[in-house]
Amino acid sequence: MASLTQTSQQFAQVITEAAGKKSITFDESKTMAAEVTTASNVHGLIGVQTDLYRAPDGTCYVNARMNRRESGARYSAMIRENEKLIARLMALAAERPATFDAYAALNYAHSIAVPTDNFQSIVEVLDPRTVSQKPSYGSADAIKVLLQNTARSIVISVTVEGDTGGRIARSFSQFFSGRAFRTTRSGAAVYRFNASLEMENADFGTNQRYKNVRYVLNVYAEDKDGIEVFSYAGEDRASRDTESEARQLALRKIEASIAEPEENGFARAFNGYLSSLLE
């Protein structure tokens, strides 16, 4: 039951994230998304009706029942709707192979396919005749393989001006490699990420005991045709007892902004860019 709850809540989140995306609409699933947030919902299953009875001794009894035919029809309708959307996303990816557009489409298709596979399992219990009626996309695992292959087909070149020792370039390479993209310092690439790093000593009029360093990181990305696809600008400061320590802290802050999406930095901006490709 815990897995069913997680599946339903996960899909409700997928629907919520689709808000504002013109290319993605859910009709059958909107009701389900609302139901999984209500107190009457039982372990994430839709179509469940419950009655609560409290005995004189304080013991509570809950009677839960489900109309197999009605619930099966509702799950089947969601599966068909999701199947069509996944097919559109897969077609979009096929039209633009080895691109961020394809990656974003397949990534979202996979997020929909995971709970849809579980819904299919529920339908097969409610109506054994549906066992042979598998979704046309195959399975979430099959889409994941396509996603991974697409990611590996995307080659990104990374150059960072002002990067002494290549420390920041390595952070970018690790970020992209973590998403299965391939990176290169030279040679043919699908995308080119050109970054510049500037650091300077600064006096912010605060406690003069500390040495302050201000940094600015600019990123400009273009496709193989030289068309801009993404840009980012971030800046911050670091303070330490010595200038050397302040510069090291600044570098660590830059690395964190590249690696950690929860930070208000490059990683978060890039993830937002990928999500925007479906709007």
Side-chain angles (χ1 to χ4, degrees):
M1 284 297 185
S3 63
L4 294 179
T5 302
Q6 182 179 12
T7 295
S8 296
Q9 292 175 344
Q10 179 184 29
F11 190 55
Q13 181 64 29
V14 169
I15 295 174
T16 300
E17 292 175 353
K21 297 183 184 297
K22 297 179 181 179
S23 59
I24 299 175
T25 57
F26 293 96
D27 294 319
E28 297 290 345
S29 304
K30 286 181 180 178
T31 301
M32 173 273 187
E35 287 189 11
V36 299
T37 61
T38 63
S40 61
N41 181 253
V42 178
H43 292 295
L45 289 170
I46 65 171
V48 175
Q49 297 179 344
T50 60
D51 292 320
L52 176 65
Y53 170 71
R54 187 181 298 275
D57 63 359
T59 302
C60 289
Y61 297 91
V62 177
N63 175 35
R65 58 192 183 279
M66 172 187 282
N67 184 309
R68 294 169 65 95
R69 178 176 297 179
E70 177 185 347
S71 297
R74 294 184 64 188
Y75 275 110
S76 294
M78 285 195 301
I79 292 170
R80 287 194 299 271
E81 179 179 70
N82 295 352
E83 185 178 11
K84 292 178 181 178
L85 176 54
I86 290 171
R88 291 206 308 272
L89 291 168
M90 292 176 69
L92 187 156
E95 292 172 1
R96 304 204 63 188
T99 65
F100 287 144
D101 300 83
Y103 178 85
L106 290 174
N107 189 50
Y108 200 79
H110 179 257
S111 70
I112 299 171
V114 170
T116 303
D117 282 2
N118 287 315
F119 293 155
Q120 176 68 25
S121 298
I122 296 173
V123 169
E124 291 174 5
V125 172
L126 296 174
D127 185 357
R129 294 174 301 176
T130 63
V131 172
S132 60
Q133 301 171 9
K134 301 293 185 182
S136 59
Y137 60 81
S139 67
D141 287 341
I143 295 178
K144 186 175 182 178
V145 171
L146 288 175
L147 175 62
Q148 292 171 334
N149 290 339
T150 294
R152 284 192 288 268
S153 70
I154 297 175
V155 182
I156 301 171
S157 69
V158 178
T159 59
V160 183
E161 182 181 348
D163 181 20
T164 304
R167 183 168 168 176
I168 303 306
R170 285 193 295 273
S171 292
F172 279 118
S173 294
Q174 290 170 358
F175 172 81
F176 291 127
S177 296
R179 286 155 179 73
F181 302 137
R182 290 189 294 151
T183 59
T184 179
R185 295 292 180 88
S186 61
V190 178
Y191 295 100
R192 291 183 291 272
F193 276 70
N194 305 305
S196 64
L197 172 61
E198 297 179 6
M199 275 194 193
E200 61 181 8
N201 297 337
D203 180 3
F204 297 103
T206 56
N207 191 335
Q208 296 303 305
R209 169 191 167 188
Y210 297 105
K211 300 298 182 181
N212 301 296
V213 170
R214 177 178 177 270
Y215 69 81
V216 178
L217 178 67
N218 289 301
V219 181
Y220 172 84
E222 58 186 16
D223 62 17
K224 61 181 183 297
D225 297 319
I227 299 174
E228 180 183 348
V229 296
F230 170 78
S231 64
Y232 166 79
E235 62 179 282
D236 201 350
R237 68 180 185 180
S239 300
R240 278 295 184 265
D241 290 333
T242 68
E243 179 185 335
S244 176
E245 291 175 345
R247 286 180 175 267
Q248 288 301 310
L249 176 58
L251 288 171
R252 290 195 296 273
K253 283 189 171 185
I254 296 170
E255 289 171 330
S257 79
I258 295 172
E260 301 170 11
E262 63 271 15
E263 296 286 336
N264 189 23
F266 172 83
R268 185 172 181 178
F270 184 76
N271 288 343
Y273 158 69
L274 290 179
S275 178
S276 72
L277 294 176
L278 296 177
E279 295 180 354

